[in-house]
Amino acid sequence: MTADSVRPSAATMITVAPTGAELDKAAIPALPVTLDELVTTAKECREAGAAIVHVHIRDENAQPTLDLVRLKDTVHALRGATDLIVQLSTGGAVTDPFERRLAVLDAAPDGCSLTCGTVNFGDEVFMNPWPFMCELYARTQGLGVVPEFELFDMGHIAALHRLLDKHGAPFGGHVHCDLVMGVPGGMPGDAATLVQAVAALPDGATWSATGVGRTALPVMFAALAAGGQLRVGMEDTITFSRGRPVRSNAELVERAAALADLAQRPAMTPEQARAMLGIPDRA
Ligand code: KMH
Ligand code: ZN
């Protein structure tokens, strides 16, 4: 199978989201927070079957940051060590101001997340008002960064249609979405909701899904059955099975790749994922 010929439903693109912005390193020592830890994790996850790394970074105190120098160093280091598609989070932490979230693109990643609406996020609110979405989208188009549309709720799908109608196709020409399910305040992480959400996506869009917390497995099985791609990682899941903490991001990728094999949709390479998503090869 060549990169050009891979069909989304014939293979499985696995994204790993290794860190997130919410978890506390002191409570979860396996969480990768330094650049060295992140690069080691990325290499292990590539080996296990990941094609994309969704990146949040931390500062010297292991706190979430959007420091641009660190972001640039991170993109550079991940590219030097792996051929993974490097997707930076523009969601950051719920406390990050919009200007810093927009500036993430100046680190020149392959891709970025773009959340299509505000959502209750546990006890917090993850703010993504319409003008911010539009500005971020215009910046992705101008800077040549391929967005992944993060959808936490059914209303976000309507906002995605509105965004595409008003502002045209994304850089690369292909629409790829990620259903983030099971966040307290967002859509539930179950098969019925996943099917409903997928039916509402724009024609021709590809999609992945991730279930937060205990919805990880139901969402993964439903996504595989419905022809979708997978996102796994400690950003979303820190319990591997009942009472057993996740030991590493790589074991989550290994499990996803094993299930993808069982579904006869083996893990895509980063090259195949680039072709599917319209992400240019690195210069
Ligand atoms: N940390 C959440 C508030 C994204 O990466 O774009 C937002 C988030 C989504 O994780
Ligand atoms: Zn994220």
Side-chain angles (χ1 to χ4, degrees):
M1 188 185 301
T2 68
D4 288 340
S5 69
V6 72
R7 282 181 295 110
S9 58
T12 304
M13 183 177 75
I14 301 175
T15 298
V16 63
T19 308
E22 284 73 37
L23 297 172
D24 180 11
K25 173 75 169 174
I28 304 167
L31 192 72
V33 295
T34 67
L35 186 52
D36 280 354
E37 287 171 347
L38 185 60
V39 168
T40 300
T41 297
K43 287 201 267 194
E44 291 168 358
C45 291
R46 169 67 177 99
E47 194 66 28
I52 305 187
V53 59
H54 167 84
V55 179
H56 292 252
I57 62 165
R58 301 293 177 101
D59 66 14
E60 61 282 3
N61 299 314
Q63 297 305 306
T65 179
L66 294 179
D67 178 81
L68 193 53
V69 173
R70 276 181 187 265
L71 284 169
K72 286 180 177 168
D73 288 349
T74 302
V75 170
H76 182 75
L78 288 169
R79 285 188 170 153
T82 76
D83 62 350
L84 289 167
I85 294 168
V86 179
Q87 179 192 87
L88 291 183
S89 167
T90 64
V94 291
T95 47
D96 284 320
F98 295 134
E99 307 77 54
R100 307 239 28 194
R101 292 171 56 191
L102 292 168
V104 164
L105 300 191
D106 295 332
D110 298 304
C112 70
S113 55
L114 191 164
T115 298
C116 291
T118 295
V119 62
N120 283 314
F121 194 79
D123 295 346
E124 319 273 3
V125 180
F126 177 29
M127 295 291 290
N128 297 282
W130 174 251
F132 170 72
M133 277 175 61
C134 292
E135 194 174 346
L136 179 55
Y137 189 49
R139 277 181 68 82
T140 64
Q141 291 169 315
L143 293 170
V145 176
V146 174
E148 174 179 281
F149 300 102
E150 307 286 328
L151 308 169
F152 287 68
D153 214 345
M154 295 301 283
H156 292 189
I157 302 176
L160 170 61
H161 281 279
R162 185 178 175 213
L163 190 72
L164 298 173
D165 287 348
K166 284 194 183 289
H167 298 284
F171 178 77
H174 178 75
V175 175
H176 179 71
C177 308
D178 181 42
L179 304 173
V180 185
M181 310 184 73
V183 169
M187 63 183 148
D190 57 41
T193 306
L194 182 139
V195 168
Q196 195 188 351
V198 170
L201 294 178
D203 287 343
T206 52
W207 56 278
S208 59
T210 187
V212 169
R214 69 184 59 182
T215 71
L217 283 171
V219 168
M220 184 150 47
F221 281 110
L224 278 173
Q229 318 304 325
L230 304 178
R231 174 173 126 171
V232 296
M234 293 177 76
E235 174 168 344
D236 304 328
T237 319
I238 51 169
T239 303
F240 192 82
S241 57
R242 197 182 297 264
R244 207 281 252 165
V246 169
R247 295 189 184 114
S248 70
N249 279 283
E251 73 171 359
L252 292 171
V253 176
E254 273 161 21
R255 179 169 68 179
L259 293 177
D261 274 340
L262 272 178
Q264 301 195 6
R265 294 184 46 209
M268 271 184 215
T269 64
E271 188 193 4
Q272 290 170 327
R274 277 176 190 276
M276 184 178 90
L277 300 175
I279 297 178
D281 288 338
R282 289 177 196 161

